[in-house]
């Protein structure tokens, strides 16, 4: 009897989803933190061309992932699509491992990266379909999966700098390619192909007009603003710490790592309590925490205070990263791929806006202005989120 209960608790498919999410997350966390360093030192391009690469990468990712999601929700095997995206990610890592020509990287590299970027939303979409078909707890399942990404970002950035600075970028990208290949094998061997649910004509009409729904539209704008705030902080904080506050450079890494570590229990607790509180209240609590965090960035300058307010940052990102995606999916029933991609595209759009806003503000009015803007934007995101219906 005890062994039967153990087998029921330990679902191999569930574990496979966790492992795939973690490996994909570590591979991404290996490549993203050192990208600007790679372009400036290895490819030897000026800061303008570094910024252009980020912009092109984000725009291409939005377009490709949206087109992929539109197709994935209507036809084809989502698992095969994930495998194809993993192959593109491997090719992208190998290209960066052995190529140092900027024009090749910003064309072929951006194309591979855009195709690869569709993998993660498709993994979460497949997980949602699997959870629905197997009567698993959807919110907790997705929260635990999202926690794997946070864990990956605790491990990935320090490992990325250690590999790149001690062994070179070629080794770092080869390690990333190896992780993605391992994830590809796991997708092939362990993840299920979930049959599509045939939707009624009424549901199909609702799907086609999803973007016309003011709640979907408002949540997208609010989510985009939230991720703009987060990315502005991620770009500016290391510069602000060293050049304005005169604190050690290592503090920036400590702040990022502590926030990522705190996000894991926040996500798990959010997944546990969301059934009692509802997604809307949970999200409003998260955005309010974001407002308090950016207010703290405006008011406090000491090392201790900056470390303490990372609790608010972790609550902010930990909840919107997990519950925000579920809210999109519930507002767009029957379209988990499009809903998840809409959520990830709100992140990508926020990245594009953050790069432009941070550079313009820091250069014109200084770094303090960046955090005043983040504070104002977080208040706007709170007001918009309050107008989205609960589902």
């Amino acid at each position: 009897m005890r062994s039967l209960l153990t087998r029921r608790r330990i679902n191999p498919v569930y574990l496979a989803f966790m492992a795939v999410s973690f490996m994909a997350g570590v591979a991404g966390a290996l490549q993203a933190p050192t990208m600007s360093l790679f372009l400036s030192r290895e490819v030897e391009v000026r800061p303008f061309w570094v910024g252009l690469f980020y912009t092109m990468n984000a725009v291409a990712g939005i377009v490709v992932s949206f087109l992929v999601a539109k197709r994935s929700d209507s036809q084809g095997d989502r698992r095969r699509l994930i495998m194809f995206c993993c192959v593109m990610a491997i090719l992208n890592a190998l290209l960066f491992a052995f190529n140092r020509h900027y024009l090749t990287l910003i064309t072929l590299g951006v194309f591979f990266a855009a195709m690869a970027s569709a993998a993660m939303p498709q993994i979460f979409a497949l997980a949602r379909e699997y959870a629905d078909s197997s009567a698993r707890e959807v919110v907790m399942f997705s929260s635990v999966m999202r926690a794997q990404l946070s864990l990956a970002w605790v491990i990935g950035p320090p490992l990325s700098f250690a590999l790149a600075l001690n062994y070179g970028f070629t080794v770092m990208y080869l390690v990333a390619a190896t992780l993605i290949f391992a994830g590809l094998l796991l997708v092939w061997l362990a993840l299920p192909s979930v049959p599509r649910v045939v939707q009624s004509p009424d549901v199909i009409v609702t799907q086609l007009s999803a973007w016309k729904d003011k709640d979907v539209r408002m949540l997208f704008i609010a989510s985009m603003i939230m991720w703009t705030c987060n990315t502005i902080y991620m770009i500016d904080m290391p510069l602000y710490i060293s050049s304005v506050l005169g604190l050690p450079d290592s503090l920036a890494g400590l702040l990022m790592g502590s926030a990522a570590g705190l996000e894991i229990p926040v996500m798990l607790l959010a997944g546990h309590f969301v059934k009692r509180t509802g997604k809307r209240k949970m999200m409003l609590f998260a955005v309010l925490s974001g407002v308090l965090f950016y207010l703290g960035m405006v008011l406090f300058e000491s090392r201790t205070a900056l470390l303490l307010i990372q609790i608010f940052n972790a609550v902010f990102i930990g909840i919107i990263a997990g519950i925000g995606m579920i809210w999109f999916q519930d507002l767009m029933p029957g379209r988990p791929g499009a809903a998840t991609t809409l959520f990830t595209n709100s992140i990508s759009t926020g990245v594009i806006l953050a790069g432009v806003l941070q550079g313009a503000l820091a250069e014109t009015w200084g770094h303090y202005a960046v955090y005043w803007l983040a504070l104002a934007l977080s208040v706007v995101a709170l007001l918009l989120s309050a107008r989205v219906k609960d589902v």
Side-chain angles (χ1 to χ4, degrees):
M1 183 67 179
R2 184 177 296 175
S3 62
L4 176 62
L5 291 174
T6 302
R7 285 198 300 269
R8 291 186 64 183
R9 281 199 300 267
I10 303 175
N11 185 325
V13 177
Y14 181 92
L15 293 177
F17 272 114
M18 299 302 113
V20 170
S21 300
F22 178 71
M23 285 188 285
V26 172
L30 278 176
Q31 297 173 79
T34 55
M35 178 60 71
S36 58
L37 195 64
F38 170 81
L39 291 172
S40 60
R41 292 189 181 179
E42 294 286 305
V43 187
E44 298 181 344
V45 294
R46 294 186 293 112
F48 170 79
W49 299 107
V50 174
L52 180 64
F53 184 90
Y54 276 92
T55 301
M56 292 289 291
N57 212 26
V59 171
I62 290 174
V63 174
V64 171
S65 60
F66 184 78
L67 294 175
V68 168
K70 189 174 181 181
R71 182 185 184 279
S72 73
D73 283 331
S74 60
Q75 57 184 302
D77 184 344
R78 201 183 295 280
R79 188 174 67 98
R80 291 184 179 179
L81 180 57
I82 294 169
M83 292 170 63
F84 171 76
C85 293
C86 288
V87 171
M88 294 295 103
I90 292 170
L91 292 176
N92 182 61
L94 292 176
L95 180 68
F96 277 79
F98 298 109
N99 188 283
R100 299 296 184 268
H101 188 252
Y102 181 79
L103 187 59
T104 304
L105 296 175
I106 203 172
T107 51
L108 191 58
V110 164
F111 171 76
F112 285 152
M115 297 300 294
S117 69
M120 192 56 72
Q122 291 301 316
I123 290 169
F124 275 93
L126 181 62
R128 174 63 186 259
E129 290 175 337
Y130 170 72
D132 287 338
S133 66
S134 60
R136 297 193 69 85
E137 173 53 52
V138 171
V139 176
M140 194 62 190
F141 186 26
S142 294
S143 295
V144 175
M145 279 187 64
R146 185 58 182 79
Q148 306 307 307
L149 298 185
S150 290
L151 180 59
W153 274 87
V154 174
I155 297 169
L159 181 60
S160 174
F161 280 98
L163 289 172
L165 298 178
N166 294 322
Y167 301 101
F169 284 95
T170 297
V171 171
M172 189 267 288
Y173 282 111
L174 288 176
V175 170
T178 303
L179 279 170
I180 300 165
F181 181 71
L184 171 61
L185 290 178
L186 200 54
V187 172
W188 179 39
L189 296 172
L191 293 195
S193 293
V194 181
R196 300 299 168 82
V197 177
V198 179
Q199 301 292 341
S200 68
D202 291 338
V203 174
I204 293 172
V205 170
T206 302
Q207 293 173 357
L208 294 175
S209 59
W211 180 248
K212 298 177 183 178
D213 186 324
K214 69 177 180 64
D215 290 298
V216 173
R217 192 166 59 247
M218 208 171 301
L219 182 58
F220 178 86
I221 296 170
S223 181
M224 177 188 69
I225 292 173
M226 295 174 208
W227 291 106
T228 299
C229 294
N230 180 62
T231 310
I232 280 177
Y233 165 76
M234 295 292 285
I235 295 172
D236 191 82
M237 185 267 289
L239 303 173
Y240 175 68
I241 289 292
S242 58
S243 63
V244 177
L245 301 184
L247 297 170
D249 293 338
S250 58
L251 179 60
L254 181 60
L255 294 178
M256 289 183 187
S258 60
L262 289 168
E263 283 173 22
I264 298 173
V266 167
M267 287 177 184
L268 298 178
L269 288 171
H272 178 72
F273 287 109
V274 71
K275 292 186 73 174
R276 300 182 192 177
T277 61
K279 288 178 282 293
R280 183 173 178 274
K281 288 182 180 178
M282 189 72 76
M283 283 288 288
L284 292 179
F285 175 68
V287 186
L288 178 59
S289 297
V291 172
L292 293 175
F293 170 66
Y294 294 114
L295 179 62
M297 289 299 298
V298 168
L299 296 177
F300 304 127
E301 298 182 358
S302 72
R303 172 193 172 98
T304 303
L306 292 175
L307 279 169
L308 287 175
I309 63 173
Q310 294 305 314
I311 297 172
F312 295 112
N313 190 23
V315 171
F316 176 48
I317 300 302
I319 293 177
I320 69 169
I323 306 301
M325 181 178 65
I326 301 296
W327 206 0
F328 270 104
Q329 291 175 343
D330 288 347
L331 286 171
M332 300 170 63
R335 299 191 67 192
T340 309
T341 300
L342 198 60
F343 171 73
T344 56
N345 283 348
S346 72
I347 300 175
S348 299
T349 309
V351 171
I352 295 171
L353 290 175
V356 175
L357 292 172
Q358 185 274 336
L361 282 173
E363 190 168 320
T364 307
W365 289 292
H367 292 282
Y368 280 115
V370 173
Y371 299 100
W372 279 108
L373 176 67
L375 175 61
L377 288 176
S378 63
V379 172
V380 173
L382 179 62
L383 296 175
L384 288 173
S385 300
R387 298 182 62 185
V388 181
K389 68 179 181 181
D390 201 0
V391 282

